[in-house]
Amino acid sequence: MDVAAYALGVLDEQDTERFEEHLATCWACAAELETMVPVVGLLSDIDGETMMALEQTATDPALLDRTLVAVRADRRRTRFRQLLASAAAVVVFGGLTGIGFVSVTDDEPQGVLAEPTLTAPANEPPTSAPTGAPTGPGVGGNEEVEGDQVDATDPTTGVQTTMFLVTKDYGTRINFSLQRLPGPRTCRLVVLRKNASTEVISTWSVPDGGYGTNTRPQNLELSASTSAPVADIKQLQVQSVDGNGVASPLVTVPM
């Protein structure tokens, strides 16, 4: 709720300063704030009449049906989708405004994928031993194999990875595959630069069966980007993050 209140700009000056101090050291809140920025932009486009209509539909399902029919008749298809997205945003901030909204539509749902990029403290990990490239099918949609290939296996956790580093004008794109990754857990990919700074460039969840395991043989294949050039990267590290936000290394790729 504090993240949502900060994104909407409803915190007072003292609470805002206290939250920004917390935000400087909490990667989880910073990542959540980044995903809320598009939602705040949508909310700014809602006029007073639309907001009143959304409040009424929370207690009158019949009114919701009539509202949707009127919107389809008076507005183009693109404007209708924007209204539904705005209504979904009201549900996100329902804890602050007390407004709920339920919508039913024949259109296919649209998703927004946002990957957090922020600086987080991390201790320099031990270097993992090189290994051969993983084989077998993968899940995650990453089919690109261009770039410089680096492989690693952690001797303690047993997690294996193959990464392809692609130089871009904006920095570096990293396509990577993971196997022998147990679950359930939350993971993230961290860039450790030569100047000792760190950057979280991707987070994901691992199901009970894991990836590249006896239970689930498919490898996990993902892609992420960083502003750091390849020459500035010292290590790439896949970390496991517990419920308290404490990270531990799963596999480290030296550069």
Side-chain angles (χ1 to χ4, degrees):
M1 291 182 63
D2 287 342
V3 175
Y6 179 79
L8 288 172
V10 298
L11 294 179
D12 58 32
E13 182 177 355
Q14 182 177 2
D15 288 340
T16 297
E17 292 180 357
R18 183 162 54 249
F19 181 79
E20 289 178 346
E21 291 176 358
H22 168 77
L23 194 65
T25 59
C26 179
W27 70 269
C29 286
E32 185 173 354
L33 176 62
E34 184 173 345
T35 64
M36 287 186 178
V37 171
V39 178
V40 174
L42 289 174
L43 288 176
S44 65
D45 294 332
I46 303 177
D47 54 29
E49 294 181 357
T50 302
M51 185 62 71
M52 291 178 62
L54 296 178
E55 292 178 350
Q56 295 178 20
T57 57
T59 57
D60 188 352
L63 179 58
L64 171 60
D65 294 335
R66 293 195 297 272
T67 301
L68 293 178
V69 171
V71 169
R72 290 190 182 99
D74 296 338
R75 298 185 179 183
R76 295 179 301 176
R77 183 182 184 89
T78 54
R79 180 59 180 169
F80 176 52
R81 286 183 175 177
Q82 184 177 11
L83 176 61
L84 292 183
S86 300
V90 174
V91 175
V92 174
F93 296 107
L96 295 175
T97 63
I99 300 172
F101 179 81
V102 179
S103 63
V104 179
T105 175
D106 295 331
D107 296 334
E108 294 184 359
Q110 294 180 332
V112 178
L113 176 63
E115 293 183 348
T117 299
L118 60 151
T119 300
N123 295 327
E124 184 171 312
T127 300
S128 301
T131 184
T135 59
V139 295
N142 174 25
E143 299 178 353
E144 300 185 53
V145 293
E146 61 176 316
D148 298 328
Q149 178 178 341
V150 287
D151 308 311
T153 296
D154 190 279
T156 301
T157 66
V159 177
Q160 297 180 356
T161 185
T162 293
M163 297 189 177
F164 295 90
L165 280 69
V166 186
T167 298
K168 296 291 183 179
D169 292 338
Y170 57 77
T172 305
R173 185 175 74 240
I174 304 170
N175 303 318
F176 59 104
S177 173
L178 292 166
Q179 66 176 342
R180 297 178 65 182
L181 177 63
R185 67 181 65 240
T186 298
C187 296
R188 66 185 187 183
L189 178 61
V190 179
V191 174
L192 292 88
R193 307 190 189 203
K194 292 181 179 179
N195 63 3
S197 65
T198 62
E199 179 186 15
V200 178
I201 62 172
S202 181
T203 63
W204 65 92
S205 296
V206 180
D208 291 343
Y211 290 105
T213 63
N214 292 334
T215 303
R216 186 187 181 99
Q218 300 97 327
N219 298 342
L220 176 62
E221 297 180 358
L222 296 172
S223 181
S225 296
T226 174
S227 60
V230 174
D232 291 347
I233 300 176
K234 179 181 180 181
Q235 293 177 336
L236 296 166
Q237 186 177 87
V238 177
Q239 299 177 349
S240 177
V241 184
D242 64 19
N244 296 321
V246 178
S248 56
L250 291 175
V251 60
T252 302
V253 179
M255 301 297 295

